[in-house]
Amino acid sequence: MLQVTWDRFRLAQVFTISRGSRTEAQVLTVTVTREGVTGRGECVPYARYGETLESVAAQIVALPEDIGRADLQAALPAGAARNAVDCALWDWEAKRAGRRVWELAGLAAPGPLVTAYTLSLDTPEAMRAAAAAQAHRPLLKIKLGTPDDMPRLEAVRAGAPDARIIVDANEGWSAEVYADLAPHLLRLGVEMVEQPLPAGADDMLAEIARPLPVCADESCHDRDSLPGLKGKYDMVNIKLDKTGGLTEALALRVEAEAAGHGVMVGCMVGSSLAMAPAVLVAQGVAIVDLDGPLLLAEDRAVPLDYDAAGVHPPRPELWG
């Protein structure tokens, strides 16, 4: 049996990026039940990629009830629908075998990971206050992507003078704006900038100086994206809702590293069930951004554990 449900999780506070704001995470939960064993997966449909909760749910319910992971890769394109089903099937396989997913995938046992904590787009004053409140965290991610970002950058650095900082422009800059900002990013100790230019309009990244690593997010979905990134990006952000699940995410990581890209593993704003598979992909990568549950006011009954060591691997009651 293959079922899909629509779940909502309230956010701890309004979350804003350059494309808009939200007050809750709306997710789809897939449940696969066979032979008395149940596996679960979660996805976050993303309007930026033409997805809605309704369209993604329709893709899922149209699948054969008995579909396996191998056939799934051809049955659905990379995206949220395939992600939730793929992760549910991994969970089901592990529970049926009485083993953990990382054992089935031939991976080493995972450990805790230091994760970025995201500060949403706001006024400089509000972002300084948010940075000060989270200054104890080792790595902060700043959402930017407007023509007026310099005061925000300065405010965050003032609020968290010792934190490592990465920046996500969410396709919000032009080549000229990025070129003007880049020296200031370096001056303020920013370690990496994510998707400064719009996907499909990012060829200038191959022409202008890249004084700090540039990471592809919207420009990188799965392995088919890699040839188009050559010469433009130094890193790729692997998100399971883009790759279409753990199966492709693991393969993308291998090929991206072989192509010389650094790897970041990120997330949409979802629950611990969505983050759990990504923890396996993120072992040993350069940057981990799996803070979705930290932004929620409520979570799954058995959530991921976050502490000073970072985000811990999932307990089997949650996933895997």
Side-chain angles (χ1 to χ4, degrees):
M1 184 168 58
L2 183 64
Q3 293 182 308
V4 58
T5 58
W6 182 346
D7 293 310
R8 300 169 184 262
F9 297 91
R10 289 181 297 109
L11 299 185
Q13 57 190 17
V14 177
F15 186 78
T16 301
I17 66 173
S18 60
R19 281 191 287 269
S21 301
R22 69 184 73 177
T23 59
E24 63 182 7
Q26 299 187 43
V27 311
L28 294 176
T29 304
V30 167
T31 304
V32 173
T33 303
R34 300 171 186 168
E35 303 175 32
V37 177
T38 297
R40 297 188 305 160
E42 177 184 314
C43 69
V44 182
Y46 200 38
R48 169 64 179 81
Y49 305 134
E51 298 174 335
T52 66
L53 289 154
E54 293 80 7
S55 70
V56 171
Q59 286 181 289
I60 294 168
V61 299
L63 292 169
E65 288 278 329
D66 61 348
I67 195 165
R69 276 195 305 109
D71 290 336
L72 175 67
Q73 308 309 308
L76 287 177
R82 196 175 78 189
N83 175 34
V85 180
D86 184 73
C87 291
L89 289 170
W90 273 107
D91 189 34
W92 178 82
E93 291 172 26
K95 288 178 168 56
R96 180 173 178 267
R99 303 173 68 192
R100 301 308 305 270
V101 165
W102 56 82
E103 296 177 288
L104 299 183
L107 305 173
L113 301 163
V114 172
T115 178
Y117 181 88
T118 304
L119 304 179
S120 74
L121 186 67
D122 209 325
T123 64
E125 295 77 13
M127 292 185 75
R128 176 173 180 157
Q134 304 298 332
H136 62 284
R137 299 186 185 276
L139 178 61
L140 297 179
K141 176 174 172 176
I142 315 172
K143 288 289 189 179
L144 297 175
T146 76
D148 306 307
D149 281 334
M150 267 311 302
R152 293 183 173 96
L153 279 166
E154 300 277 6
V156 169
R157 176 49 82 200
D162 298 323
R164 297 168 56 210
I165 291 178
I166 56 177
V167 163
D168 184 3
N170 280 117
E171 307 179 274
W173 293 336
S174 66
E176 293 75 20
V177 168
Y178 172 61
D180 287 342
L181 283 176
H184 299 288
L185 297 176
L186 287 172
R187 175 176 59 82
L188 294 169
V190 173
E191 296 185 7
M192 179 273 286
V193 59
E194 192 178 343
Q195 199 68 44
L197 308 186
D202 54 2
D203 287 345
M204 280 300 295
L205 289 174
E207 308 296 330
I208 62 177
R210 298 198 305 274
L212 71 165
V214 178
C215 182
D217 182 2
E218 286 85 354
S219 291
C220 180
H221 288 245
D222 56 10
R223 285 174 288 175
D224 290 341
S225 305
L226 290 175
L229 307 181
K230 187 175 182 181
K232 297 190 290 187
Y233 291 95
D234 309 290
M235 301 182 66
V236 299
N237 187 350
I238 299 176
K239 293 178 179 174
L240 272 65
D241 276 314
K242 294 188 302 174
T243 65
L246 177 63
T247 302
E248 176 65 19
L250 291 171
L252 172 58
R253 175 178 172 175
V254 170
E255 291 202 11
E257 290 176 335
H261 294 293
V263 172
M264 172 183 185
V265 173
C267 64
M268 306 301 186
V269 182
S271 82
S272 285
L273 181 58
M275 307 302 121
V279 171
L280 305 190
V281 186
Q283 297 294 308
V285 304
I287 296 175
V288 178
D289 180 24
L290 298 177
D291 63 344
L294 296 177
L295 307 176
L296 302 179
E298 54 192 0
D299 199 354
R300 300 286 177 175
V302 181
L304 287 173
D305 293 320
Y306 288 82
D307 59 22
V311 54
H312 288 256
R315 287 170 277 173
E317 295 89 348
L318 173 64
W319 183 86

